[in-house]
Amino acid sequence: MPDAAHPAPMNERRKFRREGEERRRQDLIDATLDSVAEHGLEGASLRTIALRAGVTAGLIRHYFPGKEDLLQEAYAALMGRMTEQAKAALLMEDAAPRQRLAAFVAANLNAPIIDARVFSLWATFIGRAGADPSLARAHREGYLGFRNEVEAVVAEVLGAERRRPDANELRHHAIAINAIIDGLWIEGCLAAEMFSPGELAAIGVKAIEAELGLAPQKGENP
């Protein structure tokens, strides 16, 4: 363990500093999301965010030039986390492509992605995106990032079916699948009590398999 006589190598010091700064950025982003959830976009001032994060407003400006930059980063983080949570469901050993697709869809249509607070934050940001170019850019990047993940899964599934879709077909399927997931996600976030456990996921899988022209598997109703 390094001490005064044997200091840590310079690269270790820099790594520690980078990790510390990245942690502070994430803490500020989390504080921003909490503040927006509680006070809305206008009420989430730098002072409010700083108080929640336990720092000074001046320190926030060390990491983010202004409030709009912080809001953009927070919205991008919100969408990015949802995508990463869904992608985690793809890490299945020895699973067939259709199983991986079903797990991906189910992850998008269950907690923690289906969540009233997450939906409220998303709706707050998306309501401002039309008038805020930075939020519109964050939304576009998040949307395209998710769609790229969908295209990759679809290519794998159709490849297993001995179909070789071109880029336009993959794009078409990804747009449609994103719309199916989004619609069911909104319903689940707004009225989760109206659906039985797994119901939205089952509906989503069936609709997406129909979109891809997949024949029902053994034991499934056509």
Side-chain angles (χ1 to χ4, degrees), residues 15-164:
K15 181 180 179 182
F16 176 79
R17 182 179 178 185
R18 285 197 302 271
E19 289 177 347
E21 290 191 347
E22 181 57 29
R23 180 66 263 167
R24 179 58 58 82
R25 284 178 62 88
Q26 291 304 313
D27 288 345
L28 292 173
I29 286 170
D30 289 340
T32 300
L33 292 172
D34 287 341
S35 296
V36 171
E38 184 174 348
H39 304 291
L41 288 174
E42 298 304 325
S45 64
L46 288 181
R47 181 175 181 276
T48 300
I49 295 167
L51 286 172
R52 186 173 287 272
V55 301
T56 64
L59 184 62
I60 292 179
R61 294 188 180 90
H62 172 73
Y63 293 95
F64 301 96
K67 177 182 171 179
E68 296 307 315
D69 303 273
L70 183 50
L71 290 177
Q72 179 184 351
E73 288 286 337
Y75 183 40
L78 176 70
M79 292 191 296
R81 290 170 187 177
M82 293 167 67
T83 298
E84 290 303 314
Q85 287 167 342
K87 283 172 59 179
L90 296 171
L91 302 177
M92 304 169 62
E93 293 185 9
D94 303 322
R98 282 183 70 165
Q99 290 177 303
R100 283 162 41 81
L101 172 64
F104 179 78
V105 175
N108 278 286
L109 297 176
N110 280 295
I113 296 178
I114 279 192
D115 180 84
R117 178 181 180 275
V118 171
F119 174 79
S120 178
L121 279 167
W122 174 83
T124 299
F125 281 111
I126 202 67
R128 171 94 166 261
D132 187 324
S134 65
L135 290 182
R137 183 166 54 252
H139 176 75
R140 177 182 175 84
E141 291 173 356
Y143 166 76
L144 291 176
F146 182 80
R147 211 176 75 187
N148 287 340
E149 296 298 334
V150 173
E151 285 190 21
V153 178
V154 169
E156 189 179 334
V157 170
L158 296 185
E161 297 284 319
R162 304 195 178 200
R163 291 160 56 184
R164 296 293 181 267

Side-chain angles (χ1 to χ4, degrees), residues 2-3 6-13:
D3 54 27
H6 301 88
M10 183 61 69
N11 64 333
E12 288 188 16
R13 290 181 180 178

